[in-house]
Amino acid sequence: MKLKFIAAGILAAASFSASAATYDLGILDPTGSDTLSAFTTKFAINSDINDSWTFQLLAPSSTSFGALQTFSVANGAIKDFAATLVGYGSLAKSTANGIQNLSWAGQLAAGTYTVQVSGLTLVKNVQYVGTVSALPVPEPETYGMLLGGLALVGAVARRRAKKAD
């Protein structure tokens, strides 16, 4: 019986030193640029981080996890700070002005996406922020109309130039 209580105590203590939270950033509005963000809960010192961040795109978007989308923490607060956009690859890591940034940018189709973030906290009360931004991708018809308008303006300018001669 004592062994069960000891095992339960060890499991309970181990659970305090790990984070496996899921953060839902929500749905990005496809009618214009949109940004969603959230802070994590505060972590205890020496906590393993294994967080999932999810977001949904309702339309194809030029999505950025770069200047507009970052997972940032003070340099040295999280060891081995890393993240992966599931199905697309690792986020690039950079350190500037004492802040660690993880970033990714590219085109994404409509759907639900997950970013997995990992690391080990080295100080208490560490938090990081996750942000996702998206811009709508122009439809092919938009490019066609642009090219057609440019051709029309060019034809009118050419015709006027001939009349002036």
Side-chain angles (χ1 to χ4, degrees):
M1 188 68 157
K2 287 184 182 181
L3 185 58
K4 288 182 181 178
F5 285 118
I6 292 171
I10 291 171
L11 288 174
S15 69
F16 289 117
S17 65
S19 168
T22 298
Y23 299 93
D24 184 5
L25 289 171
I27 299 171
L28 290 157
D29 182 2
T31 59
S33 64
D34 195 8
T35 300
L36 303 169
S37 62
F39 280 93
T40 62
T41 57
K42 292 182 179 180
F43 298 105
I45 191 168
N46 293 323
S47 293
D48 287 321
I49 298 171
N50 187 16
D51 295 338
S52 297
W53 292 77
T54 61
F55 62 94
Q56 185 178 4
L57 297 172
L58 295 179
S61 298
S62 177
T63 306
S64 173
F65 291 92
L68 299 175
Q69 198 296 327
T70 59
F71 289 88
S72 305
V73 293
N75 193 22
I78 299 178
K79 180 181 175 184
D80 300 326
F81 193 47
T84 301
L85 177 59
V86 176
Y88 291 86
S90 297
L91 278 68
K93 182 178 179 180
S94 64
T95 304
N97 301 323
I99 295 179
Q100 297 181 73
N101 288 309
L102 302 173
S103 60
W104 182 92
Q107 301 285 330
L108 293 176
T112 301
Y113 295 90
T114 301
V115 176
Q116 296 286 349
V117 179
S118 62
L120 174 68
T121 63
L122 300 179
V123 295
K124 68 178 181 175
N125 295 327
V126 172
Q127 282 184 294
Y128 68 93
V129 63
T131 305
V132 63
S133 295
L135 298 169
V137 175
E139 297 290 331
E141 294 84 6
T142 304
Y143 290 119
M145 288 175 54
L146 173 67
L147 292 174
L150 289 174
L152 183 62
V153 169
V156 169
R158 187 174 185 173
R159 188 171 186 173
R160 285 188 181 173
K162 283 185 180 180
K163 282 186 178 182
D165 288 339

